[in-house]
Amino acid sequence: MEIVYVYTKKRSDFGRPCNFSERAAEVAVDIAPDPGAAAAFVARNPVDAHVQHTSDMSEHEVNTERVEVEPRGVHHTEGGWPKDINPHEMEQTIRFRKKVEKDENYINTITHLGTLMEHCIKQNNAINIYEDYFGEEEMAEADDEPPSAKTINLTSVFDVLLPKRDPNVTKRTATHLSWHPDGCKKLAVAYSSLEFQQNTKDMSFDSYIWDLENSNKPELVLKPSSPLVSLEYNPKDSHILAGGCYNGQIAYWDTRKGRLPVEVSTVEFGHRDPVYGTIWLQSKTGTECFSASTDGQVLWWDIRKLSEPTETLVLDVTRKGLLENALGAIALEFEPTMPTKFMVGTEQGIIITCNRKAKTPPEKISGTYSGHHGPVYALARNPFYPKFFLTVGDWTARIWSEESKESPIMWTKWQAREQAREWERGCSYHLSYLTDGCWSTVRPAVFFTTKMDGTLDIWDFLFKQNDPSLSLKICDEPLFSLRLQDNGCFVGCGSKLGTVTLLEISSGLCTLQRNEKTLATAMFERETKREKILEARHREMRLKERVRSALQLEEGKDEVPAESPAELLERVRGDFVEAIEAELRRRAQAEARR
């Protein structure tokens, strides 16, 4: 290690050593008492005095120089061949192998090694060294553990705004996160400034791939032609990434070929607005993806030819295919088990369900859900029950069923039944705006949401419906992106200032609980049935109102005034309670007969 500072003083200059010796006591000063000072004497009882006989000490700290580590690889080529054999010539290698295989020494060696190998294989088959003997006890302990999460990396590790990480001083938002498909060791982060006309000339366009085991600097810097709004790993080839740019272009990278994109789509055939969603399709070649943008288009691409899209869909809910009537896309959802269906969350708060294999473009838009007062920032199907999906927008997160399009079956914050005012308003809201959300990959009843106040909420509706099971204050700035690792134990949160925080979730929130699937199914079905009953009642009331209005027009008479909303709500609640009680009585009678 290099010597930074050399002390030049002699040891004797640092202070003389103390040498003690025995000697008789001596009187140094003898002060005689002053009788005149006795009048000023003030008696004090008790008297407490402290005397410290040690010298004052100072504390010093020394910090060693920071050591930056970077990975290096070694490429091994095929060797071991004789000098006269070219390993790239197939005929020469085959001829040499046949010659060696006929050698007596080779046969004896293989026979000897075969016996040793057989012994090792039998040992491996006799016992499983990775077997978990106490799984049930660990699960029991996990059930008793309260929900928690801990930061496993400092936020500054992923902060691209630090001078050592990014020379650009302009703050950028971590707009999208993507985990490496082969584990939780790498994380790709897209950085972009989404504020209107806030991009400066000196703002960097770079996005990064971080290696969590070496977080001093990014493993790879991606250099697009425009800031990336979305970035996604290819699940079939972990070296390939696709990204959607702020200027509407689509680009893809091969990490083996460096930091520049392999190919970029043309401006005239791409999107006109930022690309907020890019998702890979489950194809045989593993090269197909599709993208969505606020320009109201969904485009399908093959990265082998990005000059123009292979297919186009205009998100016009009037089914006329007019781009001026299209709704801008903010969120995009695709479930691999349903390869022909996908969903789009729009700026207008409408969720559009689409079918790619429909014959005509108008038929590709199969339905809509109206549920938010603002843009739908997150849209995700439940990985265990794909017909139920989660949407995040405005101040609520809502769970929908494909069987009920008029209203969600659950939402946050859920209301208590006794709060009549909350029921009358329809739903209650968080105090802070919600920005993103996703389902747990291992538990069907758990999902995550982020908010503008920098809070991460973890919901478990089997445990608690009115409030999140765990609420964590991640940072002081707004959180904008959220991504859960496939094993369900690690979650990454990206903030407005470009900081990415990595959290490890407690085992209770990332371990499938006993009978959880059965309970979640029962709750989903019960809430869906309740919404169907309310929708049927609502349709019946609207039909009666239309009939009543028609009669008024025909007879020219004033009908009995319609009941007030409070009376209507009270009557509907009474009908619902009566239906529940009738069902309970029917079940009790059936049980008694058994």
Side-chain angles (χ1 to χ4, degrees):
M1 183 172 64
E2 182 182 356
I3 298 176
V4 178
Y5 183 75
V6 179
Y7 292 92
T8 56
K9 286 186 178 182
K10 296 181 180 180
R11 175 63 186 88
S12 59
D13 295 338
F14 284 105
R16 293 182 178 179
C18 296
N19 297 321
F20 298 98
S21 61
E22 293 184 3
R23 66 177 182 178
E26 297 179 1
V27 178
V29 178
D30 186 8
I31 301 175
D34 183 7
F41 181 77
V42 178
R44 188 174 62 177
N45 187 24
V47 177
D48 187 7
H50 300 274
V51 178
Q52 179 63 264
H53 294 280
T54 60
S55 59
D56 294 336
M57 305 291 291
S58 62
E59 183 179 353
H60 297 272
E61 294 181 356
V62 177
N63 191 12
T64 58
E65 291 185 359
R66 184 173 182 176
V67 179
E68 294 188 359
V69 182
E70 62 180 13
R72 293 293 179 91
V74 178
H75 181 64
H76 295 275
T77 58
E78 187 175 359
W81 298 93
K83 293 182 179 180
D84 57 339
I85 301 295
N86 185 2
H88 300 290
E89 291 290 338
M90 186 67 69
E91 293 182 1
Q92 294 184 21
T93 56
I94 293 174
R95 193 181 307 116
F96 181 76
R97 284 195 184 98
K98 289 182 177 179
K99 178 182 176 182
V100 172
E101 289 171 359
K102 293 179 181 178
D103 190 356
E104 241 181 81
N105 187 23
Y106 172 79
I107 296 173
N108 295 333
T109 304
I110 292 297
T111 305
H112 175 67
L113 293 176
T115 305
L116 298 176
M117 182 59 67
E118 183 181 2
H119 174 70
C120 294
I121 292 174
K122 287 181 178 180
Q123 277 188 332
N124 289 338
N125 293 336
I127 185 172
N128 181 13
I129 62 174
Y130 300 106
E131 185 177 357
D132 189 1
Y133 295 98
F134 307 102
E136 296 181 358
E137 294 184 9
E138 290 180 0
M139 183 174 292
E141 292 178 2
D143 294 342
D144 299 333
E145 181 184 2
S148 64
K150 62 180 180 179
T151 304
I152 62 175
N153 281 87
L154 295 176
T155 56
S156 61
V157 167
F158 300 106
D159 192 350
V160 300
L161 305 175
L162 293 175
K164 292 183 180 179
R165 302 293 183 269
D166 188 352
N168 181 56
V169 296
T170 306
K171 295 177 174 60
R172 300 180 299 157
T173 303
T175 54
H176 195 85
L177 311 178
S178 179
W179 288 97
H180 193 277
D182 296 336
C184 60
K185 300 301 182 184
K186 295 181 183 179
L187 183 67
V189 186
Y191 296 95
S192 178
S193 176
L194 299 179
E195 296 183 3
F196 182 64
Q197 293 184 345
Q198 294 299 314
N199 296 346
T200 58
K201 293 182 179 179
D202 60 341
M203 190 185 73
S204 173
F205 289 176
D206 298 346
S207 291
Y208 304 97
I209 297 177
W210 298 96
D211 186 351
L212 307 187
E213 295 181 346
N214 179 24
S215 51
N216 291 327
K217 63 179 181 179
E219 182 186 72
L220 183 64
V221 180
L222 304 179
K223 291 190 169 294
S225 57
S226 177
L228 288 178
V229 181
S230 59
L231 183 64
E232 201 69 44
Y233 269 107
N234 188 335
K236 286 194 173 182
D237 188 349
S238 59
H239 298 287
I240 305 296
L241 297 97
C245 300
Y246 189 82
N247 64 355
Q249 290 181 298
I250 300 295
Y252 90 92
W253 282 262
D254 188 337
T255 56
R256 296 164 293 191
K257 296 183 179 180
R259 58 181 61 184
L260 296 176
V262 178
E263 191 173 353
V264 182
S265 66
T266 56
V267 175
E268 56 269 21
F269 290 107
H271 292 282
R272 271 68 173 173
D273 282 347
V275 182
Y276 282 92
T278 306
I279 296 181
W280 290 95
L281 294 170
Q282 293 291 332
S283 59
K284 294 181 180 179
T285 59
T287 59
E288 297 179 14
C289 62
F290 70 116
S291 60
S293 169
T294 48
D295 64 353
Q297 295 184 99
V298 178
L299 305 179
W300 282 265
W301 306 88
D302 191 327
I303 62 173
R304 295 174 297 182
K305 184 183 178 183
L306 284 178
S307 57
E308 59 181 347
T310 58
E311 194 175 339
T312 303
L313 174 63
V314 177
L315 298 174
D316 182 7
V317 293
T318 62
R319 294 176 173 81
K320 295 180 181 179
L322 300 177
L323 192 58
E324 55 267 22
N325 297 336
L327 304 181
I330 291 289
L332 192 59
E333 197 284 331
F334 173 73
E335 173 59 40
T337 59
M338 308 165 71
T340 62
K341 294 183 179 181
F342 65 94
M343 305 178 74
V344 181
T346 65
E347 290 180 302
Q348 293 75 16
I350 297 175
I351 301 99
I352 304 175
T353 58
C354 306
N355 186 358
R356 186 187 178 189
K357 295 303 180 182
K359 296 181 180 179
T360 60
E363 293 177 355
K364 291 184 178 181
I365 299 178
S366 55
T368 59
Y369 300 81
S370 300
H372 290 279
H373 303 302
V376 180
Y377 289 113
L379 177 60
R381 290 186 183 271
N382 190 301
F384 296 87
Y385 310 105
K387 72 175 182 177
F388 301 101
F389 58 93
L390 171 73
T391 61
V392 173
D394 51 61
W395 298 271
T396 59
R398 308 190 178 203
I399 299 176
W400 302 75
S401 171
E402 289 185 344
E403 301 174 4
S404 177
K405 292 190 176 183
E406 294 187 9
S407 61
I409 61 173
M410 299 179 187
W411 51 85
T412 61
K413 297 181 177 183
W414 283 285
Q415 310 91 320
R417 296 185 184 275
E418 63 272 9
Q419 293 176 335
R421 291 184 179 180
E422 294 297 315
W423 277 100
E424 186 174 351
R425 285 182 292 193
C427 65
S428 59
Y429 300 102
H430 293 278
L431 297 177
S432 185
Y433 213 74
L434 270 65
T435 56
D436 204 351
C438 66
W439 288 100
S440 170
T441 55
V442 293
R443 291 193 56 191
V446 174
F447 63 92
F448 303 77
T449 58
T450 55
K451 296 191 292 187
M452 287 285 284
D453 61 358
T455 303
L456 169 68
D457 290 336
I458 305 177
W459 296 81
D460 183 356
F461 57 75
L462 292 182
F463 172 67
K464 191 188 296 185
Q465 286 101 31
N466 295 325
D467 296 298
S469 300
L470 180 63
S471 186
L472 297 171
K473 181 71 173 178
I474 304 298
C475 54
D476 294 329
E477 66 263 20
L479 292 176
F480 263 82
S481 54
L482 172 70
R483 196 63 178 268
L484 188 69
Q485 215 275 335
D486 288 341
N487 62 14
C489 298
F490 300 97
V491 60
C493 304
S495 75
K496 184 179 179 180
L497 300 183
T499 302
V500 177
T501 306
L502 185 62
L503 300 170
E504 182 179 6
I505 308 300
S506 62
S507 58
L509 290 171
C510 60
T511 304
L512 189 65
Q513 305 298 311
R514 193 175 291 109
N515 299 327
E516 181 175 354
K517 289 186 177 181
T518 305
L519 296 174
T521 304
M523 177 169 281
F524 282 145
E525 296 298 336
R526 184 179 70 245
E527 295 298 324
T528 303
K529 185 178 180 181
R530 178 181 64 84
E531 286 300 323
K532 285 182 178 180
I533 293 173
L534 294 176
E535 287 178 9
R537 181 61 179 167
H538 193 204
R539 285 194 296 268
E540 181 183 348
M541 289 165 50
R542 284 185 294 181
L543 179 60
K544 287 182 179 179
E545 185 64 29
R546 285 198 298 268
V547 172
R548 183 181 303 163
S549 300
L551 290 175
Q552 286 180 354
L553 292 174
E554 290 179 3
E555 298 177 3
K557 298 180 180 179
D558 292 336
E559 294 288 339
V560 179
E563 53 188 344
S564 65
E567 295 173 346
L568 178 61
L569 181 64
E570 188 64 31
R571 182 162 56 82
V572 171
R573 186 185 289 112
D575 294 344
F576 179 71
V577 172
E578 288 178 4
I580 295 297
E581 291 176 352
E583 179 68 17
L584 292 175
R585 286 195 299 269
R586 187 187 65 79
R587 292 185 180 180
Q589 292 173 1
E591 190 68 25
R593 288 172 188 164
R594 290 180 186 174

